[in-house]
Amino acid sequence: MHRHVSLSRRHLLAASLACSLFPAVAFADDAPRDLDQVIVTASRTAQTQDQALAPVSVIDRAEIERRQPQSLQDLLRGEAGISLANNGGAGKATSLFMRGTESDHVVVLIDGVRVGSATSGGAALQDIPVEQIERIEIVRGPFSSLYGSEAIGGVIQIFTRRARGPFEPNLALSVGSDNARRYSAGLAGRSQGDLGEHGGWYAVQAVHDETDGINAYTNTASSYYDPDRDGYRNDSLGVQGGWRFNRQWDADVNFMRAESRNEYDGSVDNMAKGVEQIAGGRVRYAPTETVKLTASVGTSAELSDTYLDGVYSSTYDTRRRLGSLQADINAGPGLLSVGFDWQRDEIESSETYDADRRTNRGAFAQWQQTFGSQTLQASVRHDDNSQFGDKNTGSLLWGWDFTEQLRLTASYGTAFKAPTFNELYYPSYGNPNLGPETSRSAEIGLRGEHGWGHWSLNAFETRVDDLIAYDADLVDAAHPYGQPNNVDKARIRGSEAIIGTELAGWQLQTTLTWLDPKADGNTNHGNILQRRARQSGRIDADRSFGAFSIGASVFGAGERYDNLSNTTRLAGYGLLDLRVGWQLADAWKLSLSANNVFDREYETARWYAQPGRNYQLTLRYHPAQ
């Protein structure tokens, strides 16, 4: 299953023509339930995907196994509103730009726990193993009114593997090009009793992922160019479980740790060892059918040590502690949610920062109500940050089901992004007087659900103020090369179109994105924001013939620029991936994928190569439930 919900207005005609070709912790309402039709990220409450007013895409485990991606960035490539920049293949630094906003303008959650680096900003997507993932919810649009800082472009929540049956082992063995090998094994199970009354569940997943890689860096004129393969290794373990004591009380815990080793070219360092770790717990108490109270705690860590030819070079570690209290009250005509979030970031580094910790406290309220054929979702939030002070945000979403098949939606929201520790305090560079980046966004759209399939169109505009950029005028004895400052702006317009149907036995899914992401400040006014493709699209086609299945994906992206002055152009490109599968027995499946079939050479970041034609053979064991 791969369902999308999205919208449109100003570029509705263009998109139509193209188609013709938790702040900190936000857990699911009930961990053991079947999540296929339920999302929690768009409103911090459980709702069906059709109920969501925000544009939402869901990628579930079945689709992950159908697509056969080699990494999380491969899985997200071509999703509506998403543009990716990668520094040379598997395990290399990956930036995700949602709806043309900055790479640190998106909240990333793993099982409800916020992840990301407080020094550099953004989450290490390249270090999240795809075999650990059960499903992904992608919510596009401003959601700081529910999640606080960073949710200017949207929110991505990743749910790790979990139980669906009483006993569910799984095994996957993969080999591929560039001496790639992946081994994954897991166990999961849940009580056969009535989970409405009592019962429990557990899941354990271990993954080893390794490749010799490619020659990632291609600038032969550079002093640190090295024509070797830049390999990558990742070992991860995920553990989670929960218990429902009775109809009033339930609790769950989760843990994931991924340890990586990444090789690259560099003169200061050329290898990094990293750790991505999250742990969380939740207790829910529902004293009546109209009131539910949820308390959540969590920790996350993003740890990185770098080396030059095996000799230690530097450390950049982020440790984050999180807490959340939320009350959901069914007030008769609507649902009222109120809550409080607490987050503390601490860093440890081989560099000496003027400050190494900060605390954020956020209080929010949300009202959801349906008035006949119309639905409303309104939320407000106040954040108190120990570094820059107070920030207020809000959002309003409206939907009108003017027929049983068609829904019109509109929304407006404000959001913000707190500056990183590097921007604030990095030695001889940081500016402690920085304020948060702010945004305001408007959106309108239309979507339809029919017997033949589903479709959606949306159009939006986002204006970002107080963007942090280098300011050469802020020079003093302590900052001889200038400092960052809140001096830039951006104006981003775009439209998204999605259509899914079945035709002559083929399951077809098309996603198209058009962006006009421009700088709007005094510097480089009117230029395209760097590393954003202005046009991108993806077409997936799959069909089964008894025990056999075949499929193909076509992905295309237009040109982009690697710098804000728009002097370094990266050419557009198109890719074709093919896949076949053979169900050997009820529990065994053999799959083969061929990616970048035409061996296209392309870059998403200047001087960083992407894998050419490559193959992956996978044997999977997963008994049907």
Side-chain angles (χ1 to χ4, degrees):
M1 170 189 163
H2 187 189
R3 298 284 304 282
H4 299 261
V5 181
S6 44
L7 324 171
S8 171
R9 185 192 67 166
R10 177 168 182 163
H11 305 292
L12 183 60
L13 178 58
S16 300
L17 292 174
C19 262
S20 67
L21 302 173
F22 319 10
V25 184
F27 286 89
D29 176 58
D30 187 0
R33 77 164 67 191
D34 184 352
L35 292 176
D36 282 345
Q37 298 293 336
V38 176
I39 61 172
V40 297
T41 311
S43 64
R44 291 186 60 146
T45 59
Q47 59 183 178
T48 65
Q49 193 172 345
D50 290 341
Q51 290 174 325
L53 296 176
V56 180
S57 299
V58 177
I59 307 174
D60 66 8
R61 186 68 213 170
E63 182 154 359
I64 294 172
E65 295 183 6
R66 178 183 62 78
R67 287 195 196 179
Q68 303 177 46
Q70 298 184 18
S71 64
L72 176 57
Q73 54 263 36
D74 288 343
L75 180 62
L76 295 175
R77 185 178 63 197
E79 288 298 313
I82 289 179
S83 186
L84 295 163
N86 172 263
N87 287 2
K92 305 304 179 278
T94 300
S95 299
L96 183 149
F97 307 97
M98 187 176 290
R99 288 191 162 182
T101 61
E102 298 291 330
S103 59
D104 56 1
H105 286 175
V106 58
V107 170
V108 178
L109 309 168
I110 299 179
D111 290 326
V113 179
R114 185 191 293 257
V115 299
S117 170
T119 54
S120 60
L125 300 175
Q126 66 275 2
D127 291 330
I128 303 174
V130 72
E131 282 295 331
Q132 290 283 2
I133 300 173
E134 179 72 21
R135 69 197 300 267
I136 301 175
E137 294 179 8
I138 305 168
V139 184
R140 300 182 294 282
F143 275 87
S144 285
S145 59
L146 291 178
Y147 291 94
S149 174
E150 298 156 36
I152 292 178
V155 182
I156 296 176
Q157 180 153 202
I158 298 168
F159 297 90
T160 56
R161 301 284 286 268
R162 56 195 59 205
R164 295 183 179 277
F167 180 68
E168 191 175 350
N170 71 81
L171 175 69
L173 307 173
S174 298
V175 294
S177 302
D178 304 314
N179 197 25
R181 54 270 192 206
R182 180 185 300 149
Y183 318 118
S184 173
L187 289 174
R190 57 188 292 180
S191 168
Q192 298 186 53
D194 178 10
L195 283 174
E197 292 290 350
H198 60 83
W201 63 278
Y202 68 92
V204 180
Q205 194 75 29
V207 182
H208 172 80
D209 198 351
E210 187 171 2
T211 177
D212 290 351
I214 61 175
N215 181 26
Y217 189 66
T218 62
N219 184 7
T220 57
S222 172
S223 61
Y224 54 86
Y225 171 75
D226 187 358
D228 64 340
R229 288 178 177 267
D230 298 301
Y232 176 71
R233 186 182 69 218
N234 187 299
D235 293 293
S236 63
L237 175 67
V239 180
Q240 54 181 298
W243 187 264
R244 168 154 289 185
F245 303 94
N246 50 46
R247 289 189 177 275
Q248 287 75 44
W249 290 94
D250 66 77
D252 55 61
V253 295
N254 59 283
F255 171 85
M256 191 192 79
R257 181 181 176 93
E259 299 182 355
S260 62
R261 184 182 187 275
N262 183 35
E263 299 172 352
Y264 48 90
D265 294 353
S267 58
V268 177
D269 47 67
N270 55 18
M271 191 267 286
K273 293 182 179 179
V275 172
E276 184 83 29
Q277 180 174 296
I278 65 104
R282 182 211 67 165
V283 176
R284 189 193 72 164
Y285 173 55
T288 70
E289 293 183 357
T290 60
V291 176
K292 182 180 70 176
L293 305 175
T294 304
S296 305
V297 295
T299 65
S300 68
E302 189 166 294
L303 315 177
S304 177
D305 291 334
T306 63
Y307 302 81
L308 178 63
D309 298 328
V311 178
Y312 168 81
S313 177
S314 64
T315 293
Y316 292 93
D317 293 348
T318 294
R319 289 181 171 85
R320 177 171 290 158
R321 289 180 290 168
L322 310 158
S324 178
L325 292 172
Q326 181 170 326
D328 299 310
I329 304 167
N330 189 335
L335 177 65
L336 173 66
S337 299
V338 294
F340 174 80
D341 297 317
W342 178 86
Q343 176 176 319
R344 184 173 181 83
D345 289 337
E346 299 180 357
I347 65 169
E348 295 180 8
S349 174
S350 51
E351 299 287 348
T352 301
Y353 287 73
D354 290 338
D356 59 8
R357 62 193 63 194
R358 68 182 177 193
T359 301
N360 192 91
R361 299 173 177 86
F364 66 93
Q366 177 182 245
W367 179 260
Q368 301 177 76
Q369 185 172 351
T370 297
F371 308 85
S373 60
Q374 300 185 53
T375 304
L376 185 70
Q377 178 181 333
S379 56
V380 294
R381 181 182 172 103
H382 175 79
D383 283 276
D384 181 11
N385 189 282
S386 62
Q387 185 270 319
F388 60 78
D390 297 343
K391 193 65 187 173
N392 297 316
T393 51
S395 66
L396 181 65
L397 296 87
W398 167 82
W400 176 31
D401 298 317
F402 59 92
T403 74
E404 292 185 357
Q405 292 79 32
L406 297 174
R407 168 175 276 192
L408 177 68
T409 57
S411 66
Y412 179 83
T414 60
F416 76 99
K417 164 67 173 65
T420 67
F421 275 83
N422 282 358
E423 293 166 336
L424 290 163
Y425 307 119
Y426 194 84
S428 301
Y429 176 74
N431 180 1
N433 297 316
L434 289 174
E437 301 172 332
T438 61
S439 75
R440 56 194 188 277
S441 302
E443 182 173 355
I444 191 166
L446 187 67
R447 71 178 188 237
E449 293 281 346
H450 310 274
W452 54 265
H454 61 92
W455 59 272
S456 61
L457 299 167
N458 72 317
F460 59 89
E461 178 175 287
T462 297
R463 292 187 177 268
V464 187
D465 296 323
D466 305 314
L467 271 172
I468 298 172
Y470 171 73
D471 189 345
D473 293 332
L474 288 181
V475 175
D476 55 31
H479 304 87
Y481 305 108
Q483 296 175 264
N485 200 5
N486 296 102
V487 295
D488 225 338
K489 297 181 179 181
R491 190 271 297 150
I492 304 166
R493 292 172 179 155
S495 60
E496 301 158 352
I498 300 167
I499 184 169
T501 188
E502 181 176 345
L503 182 64
W506 288 87
Q507 296 293 329
L508 303 174
Q509 179 82 23
T510 301
T511 301
L512 300 167
T513 300
W514 178 90
L515 283 175
D516 185 27
K518 290 185 177 179
D520 199 32
N522 294 327
T523 305
N524 299 302
H525 179 80
N527 286 4
I528 302 299
L529 300 178
Q530 62 266 44
R531 297 189 176 180
R532 278 80 149 177
R534 284 175 286 177
Q535 307 89 21
S536 63
R538 180 184 179 110
I539 301 174
D540 292 290
D542 291 271
R543 184 172 181 179
S544 296
F545 301 88
F548 293 90
S549 61
I550 60 174
S553 295
V554 178
F555 173 77
E559 69 175 14
R560 65 189 78 188
Y561 294 95
D562 199 62
N563 56 356
L564 191 53
S565 61
N566 288 182
T567 59
T568 303
R569 175 183 174 273
L570 303 177
Y573 60 94
L575 304 175
L576 172 65
D577 298 339
L578 301 175
R579 50 187 173 266
V580 296
W582 180 21
Q583 194 74 42
L584 303 172
D586 288 344
W588 293 91
K589 185 174 183 178
L590 186 66
S591 302
L592 174 65
S593 63
N595 305 306
N596 193 2
V597 170
F598 295 117
D599 201 25
R600 178 68 186 270
E601 294 183 4
Y602 66 101
E603 295 175 330
T604 57
R606 184 62 167 162
W607 302 120
Y608 290 98
Q610 292 298 302
R613 183 186 300 116
N614 62 90
Y615 306 91
Q616 178 177 269
L617 179 68
T618 302
L619 177 64
R620 192 177 296 278
Y621 171 75
H622 191 180
Q625 295 298 317

